[in-house]
Amino acid sequence: MDVPLRSAVPPSATEPDLVTLGIDVGGSHIKAALVAPDGALLTNYERVVTPLGRKPDVIVDTINTLVAPLGRFDRVSVGFPGATREGTVLTAPNLGNDLWHGFKLAERLSARLARPVRLANDATVQGLGAIAGRGLECTITLGTGMGFALFTDGIPAPHLEMGQHNAHKRYSYDQYVGHAALSRDGVKKWNKHVLRTVDALRVLVNFDLLYIGGGNVTAINFALPADVHLVSNETGITGGVRLWDGVFRRRT
């Protein structure tokens, strides 16, 4: 069945005149768009295939070329598929290159784009574009792998690489509900895996609300529990505005 997507919740912004360039680095594509202070998209997406297995500087070059047609922006927010800390990449499990470990992506992009850059895990950025900001909320993204983020009253918890955790038998969650699993197992079996993942997270996290996004969210065909919402891909871009709220300036 077709499941309606929950619309993005406009992020708050502390500096009302600044335009944010939102970048979503994924295992299959890199997307970018300009975002207004209220979280509205100002442009259509620009999108390019992710150059997997290449040196990190190739990604920087790719982003620089990708965003050139978009026009003026004041600051940059990046969602990255792995663990990050203070602008530095710690892990990049779905980008196929160990050279990412310790790569100062925010610094390199800032030098290339001549704008300040904030970097966070992609599921965190997507969650910031969707959450209500009350209680314990959880986001997972279903794309090349499975992203995960947790929020308490709108504030991100320390990042957990849930996608690398064991899900079933020999499979990690990346392997259990990622794109390879959808191709390998088919839609019906994959949906069973996603539902089992939701049930497992409910026990592990005790979330008030769970948001599911990512490129494969349109393949979900089971009836959603009342505390689970699907979110559109635009939240992976629009949520980046929230990285510039004062509360996040010490955390990203």
Side-chain angles (χ1 to χ4, degrees):
M1 67 177 179
D2 293 329
V3 182
L5 297 179
R6 182 184 175 95
S7 298
V9 176
S12 62
T14 56
E15 299 177 76
D17 298 325
L18 299 183
V19 174
T20 301
L21 169 63
I23 299 171
D24 184 4
V25 179
S28 59
H29 292 87
I30 303 171
K31 295 177 291 188
L34 299 186
V35 187
D38 66 355
L41 287 173
L42 295 173
T43 64
N44 293 325
Y45 293 137
E46 293 289 335
R47 189 173 87 152
V48 67
V49 173
T50 304
L52 294 177
R54 306 290 297 279
K55 293 181 179 180
D57 278 322
V58 174
I59 293 277
V60 174
D61 292 340
T62 299
I63 291 173
N64 186 55
T65 301
L66 174 68
V67 306
L70 290 173
R72 185 194 66 82
F73 53 89
D74 301 291
R75 58 194 185 184
V76 183
S77 295
V78 182
F80 186 84
T84 69
R85 187 172 299 151
E86 297 181 350
T88 298
V89 175
L90 303 182
T91 65
N94 293 307
L95 294 186
N97 195 320
D98 291 338
L99 294 177
W100 278 104
H101 180 70
F103 185 76
K104 297 183 182 300
L105 180 57
E107 180 181 304
R108 297 291 186 90
L109 275 177
S110 183
R112 183 62 61 88
L113 300 175
R115 297 293 185 275
V117 176
R118 295 201 179 278
L119 175 69
N121 172 261
D122 57 350
T124 297
V125 173
Q126 184 143 44
L128 288 171
I131 59 175
R134 298 184 300 275
L136 192 63
E137 297 175 283
C138 183
T139 303
I140 61 172
T141 57
L142 301 175
T144 304
M146 188 193 85
F148 173 88
L150 191 62
F151 305 84
T152 302
D153 292 330
I155 305 300
H159 177 66
L160 300 175
E161 278 286 71
M162 190 64 70
Q164 304 304 299
H165 188 69
N166 182 260
H168 179 71
K169 295 183 178 178
R170 67 185 186 278
Y171 294 128
S172 68
Y173 279 104
D174 274 3
Q175 297 164 333
Y176 193 57
V177 292
H179 187 73
L182 178 58
S183 300
R184 178 189 69 230
D185 300 327
V187 172
K188 183 177 180 180
K189 187 173 181 180
W190 180 83
N191 268 273
K192 290 181 179 178
H193 292 177
V194 173
L195 188 54
R196 288 172 184 165
T197 299
V198 170
D199 290 341
L201 289 175
R202 190 188 307 280
V203 173
L204 177 66
V205 175
N206 288 300
F207 55 76
D208 295 308
L209 289 172
L210 170 68
Y211 305 90
I212 307 178
N216 288 329
V217 71
T218 54
I220 291 178
N221 60 19
F222 57 81
L224 294 174
D227 56 356
V228 177
H229 302 288
L230 305 186
V231 297
S232 67
N233 273 339
E234 73 178 46
T235 57
I237 297 288
T238 60
V241 174
R242 291 287 313 281
L243 295 181
W244 296 91
D245 287 359
V247 71
F248 299 117
R249 295 188 186 191
R250 300 181 304 274
R251 302 174 64 93
T252 57

